[in-house]
Amino acid sequence: SAAAQRPWKLFGAMCLLRLPRITQPLEKVEEAMAALMEQIELEKSHYSDHEVRKLEEEEQLKKKKESLYDEDEALGKTVIMAQDLEEKWEQKFLQFKAAPRITDADKNNDRTSLNRKLDSNLTLLVKQKIGNQELWLLPQAEWQPGETLRSTAERAMATFLGDHIQAKVLGNAPYGIYKYKFPRAIRTENNVGAKVFFFKAFLQSSDLSQAELKADHLWVTKKELGDYLKSEYLKKVNRFLLD
Amino acid sequence: PCRAQPKKKKKVDVKKEQAQKERMKKKLKKLEKAAPELIPIEDFITPLKYSESNRVRSLPPLSPEESERRVLLMKKWCLFKQKQDEAEKKAIKALVESQQEALKELRLESEELYQAAIRRDEGLFPFERDGPSYTPPLPGYDPPEGKCVDITKVYTQ
């Protein structure tokens, strides 16, 4: 049959990405430019209602200090000055505490947690047994006849993360391919090597508490991939991973 | 004896009513022929209260060093953006090349899988995604309640 004659084994692998949740820090040029743009906008603008009110009140205060008989007018009036409003707003702002950009997981360098490196993409890596070696790879599964490669990749993802994963697969087409030949000991006429087709998906849900993690897994950024993947494999994966 | 008068009234009334209707129709036609009024774009009309003279900001004039610094910064920015754009285009090109290579290999393997791969994915678009914010969401944050009243003016032609 056609399946037996094919010398290359087919695998479908899923590159699951957790998209960034916070903005990346600005470079120096970007910060300087942003400050300049704000300055230019300020220079080209006119006074707003709030600022006009502030200026008028300042003038009134000056007049009151210079002329002493205005105290009679001020009796009975509790006027809220624009300056007081500003101070009130400032106080309210200082009371609010935002969540930190660098989380605990960052500080501990806990690579299994999803809360790390919130400003970059995180890829899932799992430890799999290939031949007689335990390697860190993108989750892959062997293709069964009767399914498309995309479903193979989705099945691979489900085996490692459970069925309750919400991921958006980006299209039916593979993004990359890694071809390798088996070592001479196992290689036969009908079994030359394997082709691993990579698919890309975005992780939709942010918590994986329901996921049944069956093997060792890691969430790493593009730069850290080099610590775990072999060089040829890494080269192919880097081509379709945007930073 | 009572017949003649009501008849006249009716005839005259009918004629008058018909004349009135025709006049109304003519007026309607004239109005319809006139070109429709353009809807004013509120963003392009500055309200008059903002062109009063007391609103002009008073700031010290720019020193030559400051303007020099600004010009140099804008040139640096131009270069930075150019490099960024080139890097993006290069990355996209690498992505597309990688995909083409994968599809070529797949075709060599099996035509059927290849056809399944190049089929359009209907569920992909419309693709929605919330962009990143400056700080991550605070767990257990209770936003203050309020009501939003929309006061935009709607013009009909």
Side-chain angles (χ1 to χ4, degrees):
Chain A
S1 67
Q5 284 166 9
R6 227 181 261 134
W8 295 90
K9 274 194 168 173
L10 298 178
F11 287 87
M14 184 60 90
C15 177
L16 189 61
L17 292 173
R18 185 225 67 185
L19 296 167
R21 283 210 219 115
I22 58 176
T23 50
Q24 290 182 334
L26 295 174
E27 314 248 334
K28 280 198 190 147
V29 190
E30 287 183 312
E31 278 187 22
M33 198 60 187
L36 179 63
M37 286 285 112
E38 270 196 48
Q39 183 69 24
I40 292 180
E41 204 182 294
L42 189 74
E43 285 167 10
K44 286 191 177 172
S45 67
H46 287 183
Y47 286 131
S48 65
D49 289 339
H50 178 83
E51 286 186 314
V52 166
R53 178 177 161 180
K54 220 169 122 176
L55 288 172
E56 281 175 2
E57 282 170 5
E58 272 176 30
E59 283 193 28
Q60 278 180 7
L61 267 183
K62 268 194 212 167
K63 279 186 190 169
K64 274 189 193 175
K65 282 182 186 169
E66 286 166 12
S67 56
L68 301 167
Y69 56 81
D70 264 350
E71 285 196 44
D72 302 344
E73 281 183 59
L75 282 171
K77 276 193 209 170
T78 46
V79 176
I80 304 178
M81 309 273 281
Q83 189 65 35
D84 299 334
L85 274 178
E86 278 192 15
E87 279 168 20
K88 208 168 79 173
W89 297 332
E90 185 73 34
Q91 288 295 317
K92 204 169 173 185
F93 178 61
L94 289 171
Q95 277 174 7
F96 173 71
K97 280 220 163 280
R101 278 164 66 95
I102 303 179
T103 57
D104 292 331
D106 268 329
K107 291 181 196 155
N108 301 337
N109 201 11
D110 176 18
R111 292 195 172 179
T112 57
S113 122
L114 264 184
N115 267 340
R116 197 173 75 96
K117 296 269 180 192
L118 291 172
D119 63 350
S120 36
N121 287 339
L122 286 183
T123 331
L124 178 67
L125 280 185
V126 281
K127 211 166 201 179
Q128 283 185 289
K129 196 157 178 169
I130 305 284
N132 45 5
Q133 276 183 321
E134 288 250 344
L135 297 169
W136 282 110
L137 300 168
L138 298 176
Q140 68 185 41
E142 187 159 354
W143 175 74
Q144 314 279 357
E147 63 175 4
T148 60
L149 273 174
R150 177 183 161 161
S151 13
T152 321
E154 283 172 347
R155 188 165 53 90
M157 202 167 59
T159 26
F160 288 102
L161 291 177
D163 286 327
H164 301 281
I165 285 292
Q166 291 165 20
K168 185 124 193 175
V169 185
L170 302 177
N172 288 326
Y175 272 78
I177 175 171
Y178 176 59
K179 214 162 62 170
Y180 67 98
K181 289 191 177 164
F182 293 137
R184 291 202 181 264
I186 324 177
R187 212 185 296 180
T188 59
E189 261 301 318
N190 277 350
N191 210 4
V192 174
K195 288 188 182 178
V196 187
F197 289 94
F198 299 105
F199 288 81
K200 230 175 166 184
F202 290 153
L203 189 66
Q204 302 283 79
S205 60
S206 50
D207 73 76
L208 292 176
S209 45
Q210 281 200 335
E212 307 121 34
L213 298 143
K214 290 177 185 147
D216 289 335
H217 68 294
L218 285 183
W219 293 94
V220 287
T221 58
K222 190 174 174 191
K223 291 191 195 133
E224 294 160 3
L225 277 178
D227 299 338
Y228 300 95
L229 299 177
K230 303 224 160 158
S231 61
E232 280 298 319
Y233 193 83
L234 178 69
K235 254 201 262 181
K236 295 286 177 176
V237 170
N238 268 342
R239 279 174 78 188
F240 66 84
L241 276 187
L242 299 172
D243 206 354
Chain B
C2 296
R3 253 196 216 172
Q5 284 173 339
K7 270 190 188 170
K8 276 185 201 168
K9 272 187 193 169
K10 276 183 192 169
K11 275 185 194 170
V12 167
D13 280 349
V14 163
K15 277 188 188 171
K16 274 189 185 171
E17 280 178 31
Q18 279 179 349
Q20 263 187 347
K21 276 184 195 170
E22 277 171 36
R23 271 181 254 146
M24 293 291 281
K25 278 183 195 170
K26 277 186 188 171
K27 280 184 191 171
L28 277 172
K29 275 185 193 172
K30 270 193 187 170
L31 283 173
E32 276 171 21
K33 273 187 194 173
E37 264 181 30
L38 298 169
I39 303 176
I41 305 173
E42 291 194 14
D43 285 338
F44 290 176
I45 310 168
T46 41
L48 288 169
K49 71 170 182 168
Y50 293 124
S51 18
E52 280 172 26
S53 57
N54 71 332
R55 295 242 180 194
V56 177
R57 215 175 269 273
S58 55
L59 292 163
L62 282 181
S63 63
E65 292 97 13
E66 177 66 21
S67 40
E68 186 72 25
R69 178 196 81 104
R70 285 186 182 186
V71 165
L72 286 173
L73 178 60
M74 290 212 243
K75 288 192 180 177
K76 259 197 242 173
W77 173 251
C78 192
L79 195 68
F80 171 77
K81 269 296 184 188
Q82 186 194 38
K83 294 259 164 70
Q84 202 185 50
D85 191 44
E86 275 175 26
E88 267 183 31
K89 289 193 172 144
K90 203 169 132 185
I92 294 176
K93 207 169 155 192
L95 197 97
V96 167
E97 268 175 16
S98 163
Q99 196 169 47
Q100 290 298 326
E101 197 189 301
L103 284 172
K104 209 167 69 176
E105 293 280 339
L106 184 58
R107 193 156 209 188
L108 287 176
E109 275 301 305
S110 111
E111 190 62 34
E112 185 194 315
L113 285 177
Y114 176 75
Q115 290 301 327
I118 58 176
R119 212 175 293 146
R120 198 183 272 203
D121 186 6
E122 300 298 330
L124 186 59
F125 294 112
F127 178 73
E128 280 179 8
R129 203 214 131 190
D130 289 329
S133 48
Y134 185 66
T135 49
L138 200 59
Y141 176 65
D142 196 18
E145 285 182 35
K147 209 168 64 165
C148 199
V149 181
D150 199 5
I151 52 169
T152 45
K153 291 189 195 158
V154 177
Y155 293 92
T156 46
Q157 270 195 333

